[in-house]
Amino acid sequence: MQSLSRSLFIVAILGALPFSADAQKKKAAAYTPAQMMQVKRISGVQVSPDGKRVVYAVREVLLDGGKSETLTHLHLVNADGTGATQLTQGAKSCDEPRWSPDGNWIAFLSAKAGKRNVWLISPKGGDAIQVTGVRSAVTSFRWSPDGAWIAYTAIDGPTPEEEKAKKEKNDARVVDENIKMSRLHIVTLPAAGKKIERALTDGALNVPPAGRSGYDWSPDSKSIVYTRTKTPNADDWTSADLQIVDIETGKSRMLLPSGPVRYAPHFSPDGSSVAFVESDRTWAGSGRIRVYTLGNRFDRLLAPTFDGFGRYSELLGWHPSGNKLIFTEMNGTITGLGVLPLDGDPRVQHAETFPDAIHSGSGVASGGMHLNATRTHVGISWETLRTAPVACYSGLDNFKPIAVSKVNATVPTFPADRTQIVRWKSKDGLEIEGLLTYPANYKKGQRYPLLLNVHGGPAGVFTQTYVGSPGLYPIATFSERGYAVLRPNPRGSSGYGKKFRYANYNDWGVGDFQDLMTGVDHVINMGVADENRLGVMGWSYGGFMTSWTITQTKRFKAASVGAGVTNLMSFTGTADIPSFLPDYFGG
């Protein structure tokens, strides 16, 4: 796999850094890149409508027998942790599970029959039943509240001319010509008698998949509110607005006049209102939640959240009471579950509320959080710096998450004291936070080689994910090999409020560079890092900052640039996001 190859390459390159004889003798026993690839990823944790069962997807890496691929399957467990079983089998992945409103079926996505479609399976097991038969790929789906329909998005299929070219092995194409739109469709269930399947949108508009953009059924199952963009192109997210389509007539109408970017719509429990996120058009992202009442057209802007609905904020939906909204948001390096009243300020439950059952402490909902159909429970894929991903769930009002998965039970726990939060003042006095991972053989008073790891984005953020997981760089392997690793969140990062996230506008390589260099100085002053044995690495914007750094100072003995942007002008002219840098640099 590419990430494994990258990891081994980086280990080899950074071997150019001199380090102690003790570290050279030490072998990475539990955290070699290959072993780290065996950490299973958990996603799509969904609680049944009655709160008694939990289904989730587990992705594992297959490297045996010449394979280099991933395989995902669904697992089911009772809420008390009993009855754990693997629900789907086979050589084709199955993911994105969702319970039917009555709890009798679980729908999921799979390419079991060639193309990615919607399938059904009973929680009791048995053979899966194919629901849709698109020729391209289903990208998302949602049950109607009455259980009679499934709405789904799928990209346009190939034209006859494209099919002919494929048979002739003529794979030439012109970028931005014959753009494949994503359409919104509905389909009845296989047991409903005569199958009805039709598209609800057509023409020159695109419906992004459900998720942060999304669509939502009305409680009476008669209409769907959805996000619309001009095209699926990455640069056209700024065109997003909201439409409501009538299921019977197929006619759509605009919810509000075009203006700001609007996405993530959710009908209120009584169907009278729609909540959504309204954002500006900047790439750093700044949004607020609005609620629009359909009958009297009353429109209200709710209180701002801490991080201002940037990249790592998500509106999950309504509380069953109908008087507040549920959302998730990064706060520094951890995830918070928030409640936003229609009148008043948000209240956020932070990670410290997680019990000992999942190793109490801060962490990240790496696979997202999901409200169940009755809005009584939330499913969570959780991990911490020291523990691998685990599926858990909690009541919404009594937030005490309970772990229910054991698929990573044999994964070693990363030492609790080996990674810590560090903070320092940058050159202009701005406080910066980061994660410092110590070498495995760390002894106080002894200095070690330090690797500076810069994240992408630039609105990315280093969070408290499991250090032993595979990633762009094998942090645990570096630690085992005797390196300290600093992962700073410089100005421009998410999780520290809107002002901080916009603090690098018109300023790449100045303030952010000082944030990084003062972070390195801080670790040196702590007595941990050896100033003569420093390395720097990063991916994307982190690659840019790595490239920039080695033109500004000679203090680093080794550097690794991943997917770096080294010419901002040519990037703007050739990338699929030509508005990105003009936004950051004002024109």
Side-chain angles (χ1 to χ4, degrees), residues 172-207:
R173 68 184 183 94
V174 178
V175 175
D176 292 336
E177 286 190 8
N178 301 319
I179 295 173
K180 299 295 184 183
M181 298 291 190
S182 174
R183 312 291 184 186
L184 182 63
H185 305 251
I186 53 173
V187 61
T188 53
L189 303 187
K194 183 181 179 181
K195 181 179 180 179
I196 301 174
E197 187 170 10
R198 65 176 185 269
L200 294 178
T201 61
D202 57 15
L205 67 89
N206 178 73
V207 180

PDB file of all heavy atoms in Angstrom, residues 172-207:
ATOM      1  N   ALA A 172      -8.789   8.029 -23.250  1.00  0.00           N
ATOM      2  CA  ALA A 172      -8.470   9.465 -23.264  1.00  0.00           C
ATOM      3  C   ALA A 172      -9.700  10.267 -22.855  1.00  0.00           C
ATOM      4  O   ALA A 172     -10.831   9.926 -23.202  1.00  0.00           O
ATOM      5  CB  ALA A 172      -8.020   9.883 -24.659  1.00  0.00           C
ATOM      6  N   ARG A 173      -9.491  11.319 -22.103  1.00  0.00           N
ATOM      7  CA  ARG A 173     -10.604  12.203 -21.731  1.00  0.00           C
ATOM      8  C   ARG A 173     -10.075  13.615 -21.526  1.00  0.00           C
ATOM      9  O   ARG A 173      -8.878  13.817 -21.296  1.00  0.00           O
ATOM     10  CB  ARG A 173     -11.301  11.725 -20.460  1.00  0.00           C
ATOM     11  CG  ARG A 173     -10.480  11.840 -19.196  1.00  0.00           C
ATOM     12  CD  ARG A 173     -11.213  11.247 -18.001  1.00  0.00           C
ATOM     13  NE  ARG A 173     -10.462  11.413 -16.771  1.00  0.00           N
ATOM     14  CZ  ARG A 173     -10.624  12.426 -15.932  1.00  0.00           C
ATOM     15  NH1 ARG A 173     -11.516  13.377 -16.202  1.00  0.00           N
ATOM     16  NH2 ARG A 173      -9.901  12.512 -14.824  1.00  0.00           N
ATOM     17  N   VAL A 174     -10.965  14.566 -21.615  1.00  0.00           N
ATOM     18  CA  VAL A 174     -10.621  15.965 -21.401  1.00  0.00           C
ATOM     19  C   VAL A 174     -11.196  16.386 -20.056  1.00  0.00           C
ATOM     20  O   VAL A 174     -12.401  16.269 -19.823  1.00  0.00           O
ATOM     21  CB  VAL A 174     -11.179  16.861 -22.519  1.00  0.00           C
ATOM     22  CG1 VAL A 174     -10.836  18.324 -22.243  1.00  0.00           C
ATOM     23  CG2 VAL A 174     -10.626  16.427 -23.871  1.00  0.00           C
ATOM     24  N   VAL A 175     -10.335  16.835 -19.179  1.00  0.00           N
ATOM     25  CA  VAL A 175     -10.778  17.246 -17.854  1.00  0.00           C
ATOM     26  C   VAL A 175     -11.785  18.385 -17.975  1.00  0.00           C
ATOM     27  O   VAL A 175     -11.629  19.291 -18.799  1.00  0.00           O
ATOM     28  CB  VAL A 175      -9.574  17.677 -16.994  1.00  0.00           C
ATOM     29  CG1 VAL A 175     -10.037  18.230 -15.647  1.00  0.00           C
ATOM     30  CG2 VAL A 175      -8.637  16.498 -16.782  1.00  0.00           C
ATOM     31  N   ASP A 176     -12.838  18.312 -17.159  1.00  0.00           N
ATOM     32  CA  ASP A 176     -13.910  19.315 -17.095  1.00  0.00           C
ATOM     33  C   ASP A 176     -14.840  19.286 -18.302  1.00  0.00           C
ATOM     34  O   ASP A 176     -15.648  20.192 -18.478  1.00  0.00           O
ATOM     35  CB  ASP A 176     -13.346  20.733 -16.895  1.00  0.00           C
ATOM     36  CG  ASP A 176     -12.718  20.902 -15.521  1.00  0.00           C
ATOM     37  OD1 ASP A 176     -13.101  20.146 -14.616  1.00  0.00           O
ATOM     38  OD2 ASP A 176     -11.869  21.785 -15.360  1.00  0.00           O
ATOM     39  N   GLU A 177     -14.742  18.268 -19.122  1.00  0.00           N
ATOM     40  CA  GLU A 177     -15.744  18.040 -20.174  1.00  0.00           C
ATOM     41  C   GLU A 177     -16.551  16.803 -19.820  1.00  0.00           C
ATOM     42  O   GLU A 177     -16.033  15.848 -19.243  1.00  0.00           O
ATOM     43  CB  GLU A 177     -15.077  17.860 -21.546  1.00  0.00           C
ATOM     44  CG  GLU A 177     -14.556  19.158 -22.141  1.00  0.00           C
ATOM     45  CD  GLU A 177     -14.119  18.974 -23.594  1.00  0.00           C
ATOM     46  OE1 GLU A 177     -14.352  17.898 -24.161  1.00  0.00           O
ATOM     47  OE2 GLU A 177     -13.539  19.924 -24.144  1.00  0.00           O
ATOM     48  N   ASN A 178     -17.846  16.820 -20.156  1.00  0.00           N
ATOM     49  CA  ASN A 178     -18.744  15.707 -19.835  1.00  0.00           C
ATOM     50  C   ASN A 178     -18.700  15.371 -18.346  1.00  0.00           C
ATOM     51  O   ASN A 178     -18.508  14.213 -17.952  1.00  0.00           O
ATOM     52  CB  ASN A 178     -18.381  14.466 -20.665  1.00  0.00           C
ATOM     53  CG  ASN A 178     -18.468  14.711 -22.157  1.00  0.00           C
ATOM     54  OD1 ASN A 178     -19.407  15.374 -22.618  1.00  0.00           O
ATOM     55  ND2 ASN A 178     -17.504  14.212 -22.906  1.00  0.00           N
ATOM     56  N   ILE A 179     -18.886  16.390 -17.538  1.00  0.00           N
ATOM     57  CA  ILE A 179     -18.828  16.216 -16.085  1.00  0.00           C
ATOM     58  C   ILE A 179     -19.968  15.324 -15.624  1.00  0.00           C
ATOM     59  O   ILE A 179     -21.117  15.498 -16.026  1.00  0.00           O
ATOM     60  CB  ILE A 179     -18.903  17.576 -15.380  1.00  0.00           C
ATOM     61  CG1 ILE A 179     -17.664  18.415 -15.721  1.00  0.00           C
ATOM     62  CG2 ILE A 179     -19.020  17.409 -13.872  1.00  0.00           C
ATOM     63  CD1 ILE A 179     -17.723  19.830 -15.208  1.00  0.00           C
ATOM     64  N   LYS A 180     -19.647  14.364 -14.776  1.00  0.00           N
ATOM     65  CA  LYS A 180     -20.647  13.462 -14.231  1.00  0.00           C
ATOM     66  C   LYS A 180     -21.251  14.076 -12.964  1.00  0.00           C
ATOM     67  O   LYS A 180     -20.570  14.245 -11.957  1.00  0.00           O
ATOM     68  CB  LYS A 180     -20.020  12.112 -13.895  1.00  0.00           C
ATOM     69  CG  LYS A 180     -19.408  11.389 -15.096  1.00  0.00           C
ATOM     70  CD  LYS A 180     -20.463  11.004 -16.112  1.00  0.00           C
ATOM     71  CE  LYS A 180     -19.859  10.206 -17.253  1.00  0.00           C
ATOM     72  NZ  LYS A 180     -20.860   9.888 -18.297  1.00  0.00           N
ATOM     73  N   MET A 181     -22.534  14.395 -13.040  1.00  0.00           N
ATOM     74  CA  MET A 181     -23.224  14.955 -11.888  1.00  0.00           C
ATOM     75  C   MET A 181     -23.643  13.852 -10.921  1.00  0.00           C
ATOM     76  O   MET A 181     -23.842  12.699 -11.308  1.00  0.00           O
ATOM     77  CB  MET A 181     -24.473  15.729 -12.341  1.00  0.00           C
ATOM     78  CG  MET A 181     -24.179  16.911 -13.231  1.00  0.00           C
ATOM     79  SD  MET A 181     -23.345  18.240 -12.324  1.00  0.00           S
ATOM     80  CE  MET A 181     -23.431  19.557 -13.552  1.00  0.00           C
ATOM     81  N   SER A 182     -23.807  14.215  -9.669  1.00  0.00           N
ATOM     82  CA  SER A 182     -24.387  13.332  -8.669  1.00  0.00           C
ATOM     83  C   SER A 182     -25.867  13.671  -8.560  1.00  0.00           C
ATOM     84  O   SER A 182     -26.236  14.831  -8.379  1.00  0.00           O
ATOM     85  CB  SER A 182     -23.695  13.536  -7.316  1.00  0.00           C
ATOM     86  OG  SER A 182     -24.331  12.796  -6.307  1.00  0.00           O
ATOM     87  N   ARG A 183     -26.730  12.651  -8.683  1.00  0.00           N
ATOM     88  CA  ARG A 183     -28.178  12.865  -8.670  1.00  0.00           C
ATOM     89  C   ARG A 183     -28.805  12.266  -7.415  1.00  0.00           C
ATOM     90  O   ARG A 183     -28.290  11.306  -6.837  1.00  0.00           O
ATOM     91  CB  ARG A 183     -28.828  12.202  -9.890  1.00  0.00           C
ATOM     92  CG  ARG A 183     -28.158  12.495 -11.217  1.00  0.00           C
ATOM     93  CD  ARG A 183     -28.314  13.921 -11.653  1.00  0.00           C
ATOM     94  NE  ARG A 183     -27.731  14.122 -12.982  1.00  0.00           N
ATOM     95  CZ  ARG A 183     -27.626  15.300 -13.573  1.00  0.00           C
ATOM     96  NH1 ARG A 183     -28.050  16.396 -12.962  1.00  0.00           N
ATOM     97  NH2 ARG A 183     -27.079  15.412 -14.775  1.00  0.00           N
ATOM     98  N   LEU A 184     -29.944  12.825  -7.034  1.00  0.00           N
ATOM     99  CA  LEU A 184     -30.727  12.294  -5.927  1.00  0.00           C
ATOM    100  C   LEU A 184     -31.824  11.391  -6.481  1.00  0.00           C
ATOM    101  O   LEU A 184     -32.571  11.787  -7.391  1.00  0.00           O
ATOM    102  CB  LEU A 184     -31.348  13.442  -5.122  1.00  0.00           C
ATOM    103  CG  LEU A 184     -32.170  13.074  -3.894  1.00  0.00           C
ATOM    104  CD1 LEU A 184     -31.292  12.370  -2.857  1.00  0.00           C
ATOM    105  CD2 LEU A 184     -32.815  14.313  -3.286  1.00  0.00           C
ATOM    106  N   HIS A 185     -31.909  10.171  -5.954  1.00  0.00           N
ATOM    107  CA  HIS A 185     -32.881   9.174  -6.407  1.00  0.00           C
ATOM    108  C   HIS A 185     -33.666   8.647  -5.211  1.00  0.00           C
ATOM    109  O   HIS A 185     -33.247   8.782  -4.058  1.00  0.00           O
ATOM    110  CB  HIS A 185     -32.175   7.974  -7.060  1.00  0.00           C
ATOM    111  CG  HIS A 185     -31.262   8.320  -8.181  1.00  0.00           C
ATOM    112  ND1 HIS A 185     -31.542   8.021  -9.506  1.00  0.00           N
ATOM    113  CD2 HIS A 185     -30.041   8.929  -8.209  1.00  0.00           C
ATOM    114  CE1 HIS A 185     -30.549   8.416 -10.271  1.00  0.00           C
ATOM    115  NE2 HIS A 185     -29.631   8.971  -9.507  1.00  0.00           N
ATOM    116  N   ILE A 186     -34.787   7.986  -5.489  1.00  0.00           N
ATOM    117  CA  ILE A 186     -35.510   7.232  -4.474  1.00  0.00           C
ATOM    118  C   ILE A 186     -35.858   5.865  -5.040  1.00  0.00           C
ATOM    119  O   ILE A 186     -36.014   5.689  -6.252  1.00  0.00           O
ATOM    120  CB  ILE A 186     -36.802   7.931  -4.008  1.00  0.00           C
ATOM    121  CG1 ILE A 186     -37.706   8.288  -5.194  1.00  0.00           C
ATOM    122  CG2 ILE A 186     -36.487   9.154  -3.169  1.00  0.00           C
ATOM    123  CD1 ILE A 186     -39.070   8.823  -4.785  1.00  0.00           C
ATOM    124  N   VAL A 187     -35.981   4.884  -4.143  1.00  0.00           N
ATOM    125  CA  VAL A 187     -36.318   3.521  -4.557  1.00  0.00           C
ATOM    126  C   VAL A 187     -37.127   2.862  -3.445  1.00  0.00           C
ATOM    127  O   VAL A 187     -36.902   3.114  -2.259  1.00  0.00           O
ATOM    128  CB  VAL A 187     -35.038   2.703  -4.859  1.00  0.00           C
ATOM    129  CG1 VAL A 187     -34.152   2.589  -3.631  1.00  0.00           C
ATOM    130  CG2 VAL A 187     -35.380   1.330  -5.411  1.00  0.00           C
ATOM    131  N   THR A 188     -38.101   2.034  -3.837  1.00  0.00           N
ATOM    132  CA  THR A 188     -38.845   1.259  -2.852  1.00  0.00           C
ATOM    133  C   THR A 188     -38.057   0.009  -2.480  1.00  0.00           C
ATOM    134  O   THR A 188     -37.125  -0.388  -3.185  1.00  0.00           O
ATOM    135  CB  THR A 188     -40.218   0.850  -3.407  1.00  0.00           C
ATOM    136  OG1 THR A 188     -40.042   0.191  -4.667  1.00  0.00           O
ATOM    137  CG2 THR A 188     -41.111   2.069  -3.597  1.00  0.00           C
ATOM    138  N   LEU A 189     -38.455  -0.632  -1.413  1.00  0.00           N
ATOM    139  CA  LEU A 189     -37.760  -1.829  -0.957  1.00  0.00           C
ATOM    140  C   LEU A 189     -38.168  -3.045  -1.784  1.00  0.00           C
ATOM    141  O   LEU A 189     -39.269  -3.083  -2.346  1.00  0.00           O
ATOM    142  CB  LEU A 189     -38.051  -2.076   0.520  1.00  0.00           C
ATOM    143  CG  LEU A 189     -37.694  -0.933   1.471  1.00  0.00           C
ATOM    144  CD1 LEU A 189     -37.877  -1.380   2.905  1.00  0.00           C
ATOM    145  CD2 LEU A 189     -36.282  -0.440   1.242  1.00  0.00           C
ATOM    146  N   PRO A 190     -37.309  -4.048  -1.871  1.00  0.00           N
ATOM    147  CA  PRO A 190     -37.608  -5.232  -2.689  1.00  0.00           C
ATOM    148  C   PRO A 190     -38.909  -5.928  -2.299  1.00  0.00           C
ATOM    149  O   PRO A 190     -39.589  -6.499  -3.152  1.00  0.00           O
ATOM    150  CB  PRO A 190     -36.402  -6.141  -2.424  1.00  0.00           C
ATOM    151  CG  PRO A 190     -35.301  -5.208  -2.062  1.00  0.00           C
ATOM    152  CD  PRO A 190     -35.957  -4.104  -1.304  1.00  0.00           C
ATOM    153  N   ALA A 191     -39.292  -5.866  -1.030  1.00  0.00           N
ATOM    154  CA  ALA A 191     -40.500  -6.566  -0.576  1.00  0.00           C
ATOM    155  C   ALA A 191     -41.767  -5.735  -0.755  1.00  0.00           C
ATOM    156  O   ALA A 191     -42.851  -6.158  -0.361  1.00  0.00           O
ATOM    157  CB  ALA A 191     -40.340  -6.954   0.889  1.00  0.00           C
ATOM    158  N   ALA A 192     -41.643  -4.565  -1.360  1.00  0.00           N
ATOM    159  CA  ALA A 192     -42.786  -3.667  -1.470  1.00  0.00           C
ATOM    160  C   ALA A 192     -43.680  -3.966  -2.664  1.00  0.00           C
ATOM    161  O   ALA A 192     -44.606  -3.222  -2.958  1.00  0.00           O
ATOM    162  CB  ALA A 192     -42.301  -2.225  -1.552  1.00  0.00           C
ATOM    163  N   GLY A 193     -43.426  -5.077  -3.381  1.00  0.00           N
ATOM    164  CA  GLY A 193     -44.212  -5.388  -4.569  1.00  0.00           C
ATOM    165  C   GLY A 193     -43.524  -4.830  -5.794  1.00  0.00           C
ATOM    166  O   GLY A 193     -42.341  -5.068  -6.025  1.00  0.00           O
ATOM    167  N   LYS A 194     -44.255  -4.065  -6.595  1.00  0.00           N
ATOM    168  CA  LYS A 194     -43.677  -3.464  -7.785  1.00  0.00           C
ATOM    169  C   LYS A 194     -42.619  -2.439  -7.389  1.00  0.00           C
ATOM    170  O   LYS A 194     -42.867  -1.522  -6.623  1.00  0.00           O
ATOM    171  CB  LYS A 194     -44.754  -2.807  -8.632  1.00  0.00           C
ATOM    172  CG  LYS A 194     -44.222  -2.209  -9.929  1.00  0.00           C
ATOM    173  CD  LYS A 194     -45.331  -1.546 -10.738  1.00  0.00           C
ATOM    174  CE  LYS A 194     -44.772  -0.928 -12.016  1.00  0.00           C
ATOM    175  NZ  LYS A 194     -45.843  -0.258 -12.801  1.00  0.00           N
ATOM    176  N   LYS A 195     -41.419  -2.623  -7.933  1.00  0.00           N
ATOM    177  CA  LYS A 195     -40.320  -1.732  -7.590  1.00  0.00           C
ATOM    178  C   LYS A 195     -40.485  -0.390  -8.291  1.00  0.00           C
ATOM    179  O   LYS A 195     -40.730  -0.321  -9.488  1.00  0.00           O
ATOM    180  CB  LYS A 195     -38.989  -2.372  -7.994  1.00  0.00           C
ATOM    181  CG  LYS A 195     -37.766  -1.527  -7.646  1.00  0.00           C
ATOM    182  CD  LYS A 195     -36.481  -2.237  -8.050  1.00  0.00           C
ATOM    183  CE  LYS A 195     -35.255  -1.420  -7.704  1.00  0.00           C
ATOM    184  NZ  LYS A 195     -33.997  -2.111  -8.079  1.00  0.00           N
ATOM    185  N   ILE A 196     -40.357   0.665  -7.514  1.00  0.00           N
ATOM    186  CA  ILE A 196     -40.390   2.023  -8.061  1.00  0.00           C
ATOM    187  C   ILE A 196     -39.033   2.654  -7.789  1.00  0.00           C
ATOM    188  O   ILE A 196     -38.571   2.699  -6.650  1.00  0.00           O
ATOM    189  CB  ILE A 196     -41.500   2.869  -7.414  1.00  0.00           C
ATOM    190  CG1 ILE A 196     -42.874   2.225  -7.633  1.00  0.00           C
ATOM    191  CG2 ILE A 196     -41.468   4.293  -7.973  1.00  0.00           C
ATOM    192  CD1 ILE A 196     -43.982   2.933  -6.895  1.00  0.00           C
ATOM    193  N   GLU A 197     -38.382   3.123  -8.822  1.00  0.00           N
ATOM    194  CA  GLU A 197     -37.070   3.760  -8.695  1.00  0.00           C
ATOM    195  C   GLU A 197     -36.992   4.898  -9.685  1.00  0.00           C
ATOM    196  O   GLU A 197     -37.215   4.695 -10.882  1.00  0.00           O
ATOM    197  CB  GLU A 197     -35.952   2.754  -8.946  1.00  0.00           C
ATOM    198  CG  GLU A 197     -34.558   3.289  -8.668  1.00  0.00           C
ATOM    199  CD  GLU A 197     -33.497   2.197  -8.685  1.00  0.00           C
ATOM    200  OE1 GLU A 197     -33.805   1.061  -9.102  1.00  0.00           O
ATOM    201  OE2 GLU A 197     -32.364   2.480  -8.281  1.00  0.00           O
ATOM    202  N   ARG A 198     -36.709   6.087  -9.194  1.00  0.00           N
ATOM    203  CA  ARG A 198     -36.641   7.223 -10.112  1.00  0.00           C
ATOM    204  C   ARG A 198     -35.723   8.304  -9.565  1.00  0.00           C
ATOM    205  O   ARG A 198     -35.482   8.399  -8.361  1.00  0.00           O
ATOM    206  CB  ARG A 198     -38.038   7.798 -10.372  1.00  0.00           C
ATOM    207  CG  ARG A 198     -38.724   8.419  -9.170  1.00  0.00           C
ATOM    208  CD  ARG A 198     -40.056   9.038  -9.583  1.00  0.00           C
ATOM    209  NE  ARG A 198     -40.705   9.749  -8.504  1.00  0.00           N
ATOM    210  CZ  ARG A 198     -41.574   9.231  -7.654  1.00  0.00           C
ATOM    211  NH1 ARG A 198     -41.887   7.954  -7.761  1.00  0.00           N
ATOM    212  NH2 ARG A 198     -42.113   9.980  -6.715  1.00  0.00           N
ATOM    213  N   ALA A 199     -35.223   9.115 -10.490  1.00  0.00           N
ATOM    214  CA  ALA A 199     -34.375  10.247 -10.125  1.00  0.00           C
ATOM    215  C   ALA A 199     -35.251  11.427  -9.745  1.00  0.00           C
ATOM    216  O   ALA A 199     -36.281  11.681 -10.377  1.00  0.00           O
ATOM    217  CB  ALA A 199     -33.461  10.613 -11.284  1.00  0.00           C
ATOM    218  N   LEU A 200     -34.830  12.137  -8.706  1.00  0.00           N
ATOM    219  CA  LEU A 200     -35.552  13.332  -8.278  1.00  0.00           C
ATOM    220  C   LEU A 200     -34.901  14.616  -8.777  1.00  0.00           C
ATOM    221  O   LEU A 200     -35.502  15.689  -8.697  1.00  0.00           O
ATOM    222  CB  LEU A 200     -35.639  13.372  -6.744  1.00  0.00           C
ATOM    223  CG  LEU A 200     -36.476  12.270  -6.081  1.00  0.00           C
ATOM    224  CD1 LEU A 200     -36.407  12.422  -4.569  1.00  0.00           C
ATOM    225  CD2 LEU A 200     -37.915  12.302  -6.562  1.00  0.00           C
ATOM    226  N   THR A 201     -33.664  14.534  -9.239  1.00  0.00           N
ATOM    227  CA  THR A 201     -32.984  15.716  -9.761  1.00  0.00           C
ATOM    228  C   THR A 201     -32.382  15.399 -11.119  1.00  0.00           C
ATOM    229  O   THR A 201     -32.055  14.254 -11.420  1.00  0.00           O
ATOM    230  CB  THR A 201     -31.858  16.176  -8.811  1.00  0.00           C
ATOM    231  OG1 THR A 201     -30.885  15.131  -8.679  1.00  0.00           O
ATOM    232  CG2 THR A 201     -32.412  16.518  -7.436  1.00  0.00           C
ATOM    233  N   ASP A 202     -32.262  16.412 -11.949  1.00  0.00           N
ATOM    234  CA  ASP A 202     -31.636  16.255 -13.259  1.00  0.00           C
ATOM    235  C   ASP A 202     -31.058  17.598 -13.688  1.00  0.00           C
ATOM    236  O   ASP A 202     -31.009  18.541 -12.904  1.00  0.00           O
ATOM    237  CB  ASP A 202     -32.642  15.722 -14.300  1.00  0.00           C
ATOM    238  CG  ASP A 202     -33.865  16.622 -14.434  1.00  0.00           C
ATOM    239  OD1 ASP A 202     -33.822  17.786 -13.959  1.00  0.00           O
ATOM    240  OD2 ASP A 202     -34.878  16.170 -14.996  1.00  0.00           O
ATOM    241  N   GLY A 203     -30.634  17.682 -14.922  1.00  0.00           N
ATOM    242  CA  GLY A 203     -30.133  18.940 -15.446  1.00  0.00           C
ATOM    243  C   GLY A 203     -28.772  19.326 -14.887  1.00  0.00           C
ATOM    244  O   GLY A 203     -28.029  18.496 -14.369  1.00  0.00           O
ATOM    245  N   ALA A 204     -28.468  20.598 -14.966  1.00  0.00           N
ATOM    246  CA  ALA A 204     -27.151  21.105 -14.602  1.00  0.00           C
ATOM    247  C   ALA A 204     -27.081  21.431 -13.116  1.00  0.00           C
ATOM    248  O   ALA A 204     -26.894  22.586 -12.714  1.00  0.00           O
ATOM    249  CB  ALA A 204     -26.816  22.335 -15.437  1.00  0.00           C
ATOM    250  N   LEU A 205     -27.271  20.419 -12.285  1.00  0.00           N
ATOM    251  CA  LEU A 205     -27.088  20.603 -10.852  1.00  0.00           C
ATOM    252  C   LEU A 205     -26.569  19.310 -10.247  1.00  0.00           C
ATOM    253  O   LEU A 205     -26.779  18.217 -10.770  1.00  0.00           O
ATOM    254  CB  LEU A 205     -28.370  21.052 -10.159  1.00  0.00           C
ATOM    255  CG  LEU A 205     -29.568  20.104 -10.084  1.00  0.00           C
ATOM    256  CD1 LEU A 205     -29.496  19.227  -8.848  1.00  0.00           C
ATOM    257  CD2 LEU A 205     -30.859  20.900 -10.066  1.00  0.00           C
ATOM    258  N   ASN A 206     -25.880  19.448  -9.141  1.00  0.00           N
ATOM    259  CA  ASN A 206     -25.214  18.328  -8.482  1.00  0.00           C
ATOM    260  C   ASN A 206     -25.693  18.237  -7.043  1.00  0.00           C
ATOM    261  O   ASN A 206     -25.822  19.251  -6.349  1.00  0.00           O
ATOM    262  CB  ASN A 206     -23.692  18.555  -8.515  1.00  0.00           C
ATOM    263  CG  ASN A 206     -22.928  17.470  -7.809  1.00  0.00           C
ATOM    264  OD1 ASN A 206     -22.815  16.360  -8.313  1.00  0.00           O
ATOM    265  ND2 ASN A 206     -22.397  17.790  -6.631  1.00  0.00           N
ATOM    266  N   VAL A 207     -25.981  17.024  -6.579  1.00  0.00           N
ATOM    267  CA  VAL A 207     -26.387  16.802  -5.187  1.00  0.00           C
ATOM    268  C   VAL A 207     -25.264  16.048  -4.483  1.00  0.00           C
ATOM    269  O   VAL A 207     -25.062  14.862  -4.756  1.00  0.00           O
ATOM    270  CB  VAL A 207     -27.696  16.003  -5.102  1.00  0.00           C
ATOM    271  CG1 VAL A 207     -28.084  15.794  -3.636  1.00  0.00           C
ATOM    272  CG2 VAL A 207     -28.811  16.708  -5.857  1.00  0.00           C
TER     273      VAL A 207
END
